Amino acid sequence: MKKIITIIAIALTGIAANAQNLKFAHVNMQELIQLMPEMDSARVQSDAAAKDAQETYQTMVQEFQTKYQQFQQKQSTWTPAVMESKQKELAEIENRINEFQQAIQQDLQQLQNQLMAPIYQKAQETVNNIAKASGYIYVFDVSSVLYVDNAQSTDITKEARTALNIPEDRTLEALQAELQARAQAAQQGM
């Protein structure tokens, strides 16, 4: 019995000693991804595609409204055959608008996914490389962890920012202000 207790004690001591050598880190992936230079390019491409889609949609709606107004103004003068033809034309335009809305939402989402995939991959690879080089056993994303003890876990966000060429003075707050300014300028330009 003493041998079993001794073996268990030695095993527990080994496990405890080994656990003390484990290195943990955390990173703010959202910050990295949002501030990466590649993300600026993705935003520009995504915004341009959304703007083009919005312009096309507005043109289609304008066409519908023009033809609907014409329909309301002239319907009393039309023969039943012309009236039926104009009703079908309005229904077709309305269907095209609905189909366009559905298709463009899917297209924009697909474009967003296409643009974001390499950005996510680059950020993940950078974090993986830092973790391997520094000997971390786990790296946690702070956005999905409820608690991080900074004394026992190293924040590698700054190191990852440097590796991803994110300027030190670039922050999420500054980015948010920049995006809001762009949105306001776009609205005023309309």
Side-chain angles (χ1 to χ4, degrees):
M1 182 70 147
K2 286 184 181 181
K3 285 184 180 181
I4 293 176
I5 293 175
T6 305
I7 292 172
I8 291 174
I10 292 172
L12 289 176
T13 304
I15 290 172
N18 192 26
Q20 289 177 353
N21 295 330
L22 299 178
K23 291 174 65 178
F24 298 94
H26 57 277
V27 66
N28 187 334
M29 286 296 282
Q30 178 185 5
E31 177 181 332
L32 294 178
I33 290 167
Q34 292 300 316
L35 298 178
M36 286 173 63
E38 295 88 344
M39 189 64 179
D40 292 335
S41 174
R43 275 189 206 94
V44 168
Q45 289 179 24
S46 181
D47 290 349
K51 184 180 178 190
D52 289 345
Q54 183 64 27
E55 288 172 358
T56 302
Y57 174 77
Q58 290 295 342
T59 301
M60 293 172 82
V61 168
Q62 199 169 16
E63 175 190 9
F64 177 81
Q65 289 173 344
T66 301
K67 293 199 180 213
Y68 184 72
Q69 286 174 353
Q70 190 180 51
F71 177 84
Q72 286 183 323
Q73 291 171 356
K74 296 182 179 181
Q75 69 180 337
S76 62
T77 62
W78 289 334
T79 64
V82 172
M83 175 79 101
E84 184 180 334
S85 172
K86 296 294 183 178
Q87 286 174 335
K88 284 181 181 178
E89 182 180 12
L90 286 172
E92 287 173 8
I93 294 171
E94 193 172 26
N95 284 338
R96 277 196 344 248
I97 291 171
N98 291 334
E99 288 172 2
F100 176 78
Q101 277 183 307
Q102 291 173 358
I104 201 63
Q105 286 176 352
Q106 289 174 350
D107 288 353
L108 290 174
Q109 184 61 49
Q110 189 175 22
L111 174 65
Q112 184 78 6
N113 293 342
Q114 214 175 358
L115 294 171
M116 294 303 295
I119 294 170
Y120 284 123
Q121 182 178 356
K122 182 176 181 181
Q124 184 65 54
E125 287 174 359
T126 299
V127 169
N128 291 352
N129 292 338
I130 292 169
K132 286 177 186 175
S134 300
Y136 295 111
I137 188 165
Y138 289 105
V139 176
F140 299 97
D141 184 353
V142 294
S143 67
S144 60
V145 175
L146 298 177
Y147 173 76
V148 173
D149 183 351
N150 288 328
Q152 296 184 42
S153 177
T154 305
D155 187 354
I156 62 170
T157 304
K158 186 174 180 179
E159 189 176 349
R161 285 176 60 115
T162 301
L164 292 167
N165 299 317
I166 299 171
E168 281 189 42
D169 62 340
R170 187 147 195 224
T171 64
L172 287 174
E173 294 80 16
L175 174 64
Q176 189 65 29
E178 180 184 321
L179 294 175
Q180 286 176 347
R182 277 190 211 164
Q184 287 175 349
Q187 283 181 339
Q188 290 174 356
M190 288 184 154

